[in-house]
Amino acid sequence: MKKLLNDPADVVAEALAGMAAAHPDRLRVDLEHRLVLRVGGPVRGKVAVVSGGGSGHEPLHAGYVGLGMLDAACCGEVFTSPVPDQVVAATRATDGGAGVLHVVKNYTGDLLNFEMAAEIVAAGVDGPPVELAHVITDDDVAVEDSTWTIGRRGVGVTVLLEKIVGAAAEEGWPLDRCHALAERVNRQGRSMGMALTSCTVPAAGRPTFELGEDEMELGVGIHGEAGRATVPVAPAREVAASLVSAVRSDLGLRRGETVLALVNGLGGTPLLELYVMAHEVHRLLAGAGVGVARSLVGNYVTSLEMAGCSVTLLRADEELLRLYDAPVNTPGLRWGV
Amino acid sequence: MKKLLNDPADVVAEALAGMAAAHPDRLRVDLEHRLVLRVGGPVRGKVAVVSGGGSGHEPLHAGYVGLGMLDAACCGEVFTSPVPDQVVAATRATDGGAGVLHVVKNYTGDLLNFEMAAEIVAAGVDGPPVELAHVITDDDVAVEDSTWTIGRRGVGVTVLLEKIVGAAAEEGWPLDRCHALAERVNRQGRSMGMALTSCTVPAAGRPTFELGEDEMELGVGIHGEAGRATVPVAPAREVAASLVSAVRSDLGLRRGETVLALVNGLGGTPLLELYVMAHEVHRLLAGAGVGVARSLVGNYVTSLEMAGCSVTLLRADEELLRLYDAPVNTPGLRWGV
């Protein structure tokens, strides 16, 4: 295993310390609870948007903390859910009196731990009651059920949801409307990914899964979970066709509709190749009569250094586009400020 | 070779087409000349800032085209200089009457081809005279002379220079002042990098260089050129100490000074590890009494999918920080707009 780290056991704590050092204008870190918190929070009267999950998917979620997106991220060990105490601490630390929305990717451990945290907060033993809601993202069309998931996995839509709902919260939307919006974004978006190589979890020290020199994994999960099939490596245009057609048909996209498109790298694929993929994705959508209103190309939800990519399409409308375009100031996404 | 592409010969053209499709609000592409051009240019009365070089270092340079940074990028084949015709076309396409500044990384091929282009434009055979100036970046302290370079290589400072000088040009600085500023930024900045793995140029199909399972290359160039030494893999804190001390001593940084710091990934290293490195870099600078006024952590000058990183320090002052903070709207760097 060749990695830029010290003791593998310290990688998350040291990375969080690095984030705090690099971005003191936008975030601060609670190292005890492994939380990344928006500077200046809690924001009085604003719904707090809190997410979290295993580390190793950066910039998701810690890199999306800041104005217009998340109020806090709970960082688990690499590919391991955060524990309930972390979520409780994040919820308490961010509540500004208007309630807290938990954004949870659909993995069994994340669900259980966020749910347990919600129960602890609701019981009110550790502090005053907090109005809570949660949304579960499950946009990955590749498989039903998977290694760590009952139902579909939460992947790329999570980024777009955090951006859009974060903007609504910033505008002062109440918790019920933020929650309904979050559910709507999740319903309107779908994703699928593929891998050319595995990744290596630092604590494990060896590749998560095996792929032959001429093989790729179609429908891979963001922890290297098995997808639809291990198939021979194919040209970018065929890979793009597989991903786009799976997402498009599941979403029921029709000619004349418009989407936000995310061509996402899994960490180890150069931007040059992601733009080759973006070219194919745009060409395929144009051929299907689907317009692309906004486009993101880059590493937004990763699997450490895995080589591969995913395609996320989110059915757009005026409200979602307006909120997507609203100012955001996080290490991972920034514009308008 | 496992890559997301079609015919390796088409990778640059297809990636540029992908950029045009994904970012029509910010840039347009001249596929004939392999140029990425700022939308709405040439800007009348503004100095145009034009750069370029081999592809494979994305987002550098094509991803830095847009308001507040570059007016055009000339994209060569992967790790191959753009030809003079491209530079001439970019110069002609961006001149708004206030002259054009060429930003050239110090590689022999780039220097020759930018120089030849300048001579063609100066001769005025193909159009009216254009006021021209150029800056050569040579910030890599690792080695004197290298595979494709006489003198030091141009690396991470190029990004900061394009940002800072792009802002000055946007403010209406005349060519001579933009040029002097660019020379000053280059003088005030230094970099050094290291690699854990090689990269593979698509047209070659095999790794550029060999590294043993327990080896890293200290002082590597952004095309995989040999550095100072092939040494055993070391913990992040030792890697950071090597890079920071080399850069700091070459720059003559003293206690009480302030820098802009770039902890740059070479393409294949996860953000989690880059933040571990950022932690070490900040810690080392704090220990040396050097303040960090601004910090960038991520993939800004890459070598395809090479795993590794580089550290760039730029001695800061009020003017540079003000220009660095000015609005920028490119696919690779964006804030304030």
Side-chain angles (χ1 to χ4, degrees):
Chain A
M1 176 180 65
K2 278 179 152 183
K3 285 182 178 285
L4 286 169
L5 40 80
N6 298 304
D7 187 331
D10 300 330
V11 63
V12 173
E14 290 180 0
L16 293 185
M19 290 193 76
H23 310 299
D25 52 326
R26 279 168 279 184
L27 50 86
R28 63 191 173 84
V29 166
D30 170 351
L31 271 182
E32 183 198 341
H33 292 103
R34 305 269 171 100
L35 304 181
V36 176
L37 296 156
R38 171 175 170 169
V39 153
V43 184
R44 186 66 16 212
K46 187 186 92 70
V47 167
V49 185
V50 170
S51 192
S55 295
H57 307 300
E58 290 69 25
L60 190 81
H61 297 273
Y64 297 135
V65 173
L67 179 138
M69 215 160 163
L70 295 181
D71 292 84
C74 312
C75 305
E77 286 301 310
V78 174
F79 293 178
T80 303
S81 300
V83 297
D85 275 3
Q86 293 179 269
V87 181
V88 170
T91 303
R92 292 277 173 216
T94 57
D95 179 38
V100 179
L101 177 69
H102 290 167
V103 179
V104 190
K105 300 193 301 304
N106 188 35
Y107 299 95
T108 306
D110 291 21
L111 255 60
L112 282 172
N113 290 333
F114 270 88
E115 198 175 288
M116 208 174 298
E119 282 168 17
I120 292 169
V121 172
V125 179
D126 65 322
V130 176
E131 206 188 345
L132 281 180
H134 73 271
V135 61
I136 299 165
T137 60
D138 58 354
D139 52 303
D140 187 341
V141 306
V143 291
E144 283 300 329
D145 301 346
S146 180
T147 318
W148 295 297
T149 318
I150 297 169
R152 289 178 165 184
R153 303 173 296 215
V155 288
V157 161
T158 317
V159 179
L160 303 176
L161 186 151
E162 291 176 358
K163 170 66 193 79
I164 289 167
V165 177
E170 205 68 51
E171 284 185 3
W173 291 31
L175 184 61
D176 59 343
R177 283 188 67 203
C178 286
H179 180 220
L181 175 68
E183 296 283 1
R184 183 157 82 80
V185 171
N186 184 56
R187 269 198 312 278
Q188 291 184 199
R190 301 285 193 285
S191 305
M192 192 157 117
M194 58 74 60
L196 289 171
T197 67
S198 178
C199 57
T200 296
V201 174
R206 51 173 202 286
T208 302
F209 63 99
E210 294 297 329
L211 268 182
E213 250 320 291
D214 297 318
E215 290 176 339
M216 62 182 187
E217 181 71 18
L218 205 61
V220 74
I222 55 172
H223 314 91
E225 308 96 300
R228 290 190 175 182
T230 305
V231 296
V233 169
R237 68 174 65 89
E238 289 173 30
V239 174
S242 297
L243 300 182
V244 169
S245 90
V247 169
R248 192 162 68 85
S249 80
D250 200 280
L251 200 50
L253 271 181
R254 290 177 307 272
R255 191 164 285 273
E257 288 199 281
T258 301
V259 295
L260 288 95
L262 163 60
V263 175
N264 176 60
L266 294 180
T269 284
L271 205 47
L272 193 71
E273 295 175 37
L274 294 180
Y275 277 112
V276 169
M277 285 296 296
H279 176 233
E280 298 298 341
V281 169
H282 277 260
R283 205 177 47 74
L284 288 159
L285 291 173
V290 174
V292 180
R294 302 290 183 278
S295 204
L296 273 180
V297 182
N299 294 300
Y300 293 97
V301 193
T302 61
S303 306
L304 296 169
E305 73 284 0
M306 192 183 287
C309 74
S310 62
V311 172
T312 296
L313 302 179
L314 174 65
R315 182 176 268 128
D317 56 49
E318 268 185 44
E319 184 172 67
L320 295 197
L321 290 176
R322 187 183 65 74
L323 292 165
Y324 178 82
D325 289 340
V328 61
N329 188 1
T330 74
L333 270 190
R334 184 172 176 184
W335 53 70
V337 64
Chain B
M1 177 181 65
K2 278 178 150 185
K3 286 183 176 284
L4 287 168
L5 41 77
N6 298 304
D7 186 332
D10 299 330
V11 63
V12 173
E14 290 180 1
L16 293 184
M19 291 195 75
H23 310 299
D25 52 327
R26 280 168 278 183
L27 51 86
R28 64 190 172 83
V29 167
D30 170 351
L31 272 181
E32 184 198 341
H33 292 102
R34 304 270 171 100
L35 304 181
V36 176
L37 297 155
R38 170 176 170 168
V39 153
V43 184
R44 184 75 7 219
K46 187 185 94 66
V47 167
V49 185
V50 170
S51 191
S55 295
H57 307 299
E58 290 68 26
L60 189 83
H61 298 273
Y64 296 135
V65 173
L67 180 138
M69 213 160 163
L70 295 181
D71 292 84
C74 312
C75 306
E77 285 302 309
V78 174
F79 293 177
T80 304
S81 300
V83 297
D85 274 3
Q86 294 179 268
V87 182
V88 170
T91 304
R92 292 277 173 214
T94 56
D95 178 39
V100 179
L101 177 69
H102 290 167
V103 179
V104 190
K105 300 193 301 305
N106 189 33
Y107 299 96
T108 306
D110 291 22
L111 255 59
L112 281 173
N113 289 333
F114 270 88
E115 198 175 290
M116 207 175 298
E119 283 169 15
I120 292 169
V121 172
V125 180
D126 64 322
V130 176
E131 206 188 345
L132 280 181
H134 73 273
V135 62
I136 299 166
T137 60
D138 58 354
D139 53 304
D140 188 341
V141 306
V143 290
E144 284 299 328
D145 301 345
S146 180
T147 317
W148 294 297
T149 317
I150 297 170
R152 289 178 164 185
R153 302 173 298 215
V155 288
V157 162
T158 318
V159 179
L160 303 176
L161 185 152
E162 291 177 357
K163 170 67 191 80
I164 289 167
V165 177
E170 205 69 50
E171 284 185 2
W173 291 31
L175 184 60
D176 58 344
R177 284 190 66 204
C178 286
H179 180 220
L181 175 68
E183 296 283 0
R184 184 158 83 81
V185 171
N186 184 57
R187 269 196 312 276
Q188 292 186 200
R190 301 284 194 284
S191 304
M192 193 158 116
M194 58 75 60
L196 289 170
T197 67
S198 178
C199 57
T200 296
V201 175
R206 54 172 199 286
T208 301
F209 63 100
E210 294 299 327
L211 268 181
E213 249 321 291
D214 298 318
E215 290 175 340
M216 63 182 186
E217 182 71 18
L218 204 60
V220 74
I222 55 172
H223 314 90
E225 306 96 302
R228 290 189 176 184
T230 305
V231 297
V233 169
R237 69 175 64 87
E238 289 174 30
V239 173
S242 297
L243 301 182
V244 169
S245 90
V247 169
R248 192 162 68 85
S249 81
D250 201 281
L251 199 51
L253 271 180
R254 290 176 309 272
R255 192 164 284 274
E257 289 199 281
T258 301
V259 295
L260 288 95
L262 164 60
V263 175
N264 175 60
L266 294 181
T269 283
L271 205 47
L272 194 71
E273 295 175 38
L274 294 180
Y275 277 112
V276 169
M277 285 296 296
H279 175 232
E280 299 297 343
V281 169
H282 278 258
R283 205 178 47 74
L284 288 159
L285 291 173
V290 174
V292 180
R294 301 290 184 280
S295 203
L296 272 180
V297 182
N299 294 299
Y300 293 97
V301 193
T302 62
S303 305
L304 296 168
E305 73 283 1
M306 192 184 287
C309 74
S310 63
V311 172
T312 296
L313 302 179
L314 174 64
R315 181 175 268 126
D317 57 49
E318 268 185 44
E319 183 173 70
L320 295 197
L321 290 176
R322 187 183 65 74
L323 291 166
Y324 178 82
D325 289 340
V328 60
N329 188 359
T330 74
L333 270 191
R334 182 173 176 184
W335 53 71
V337 64

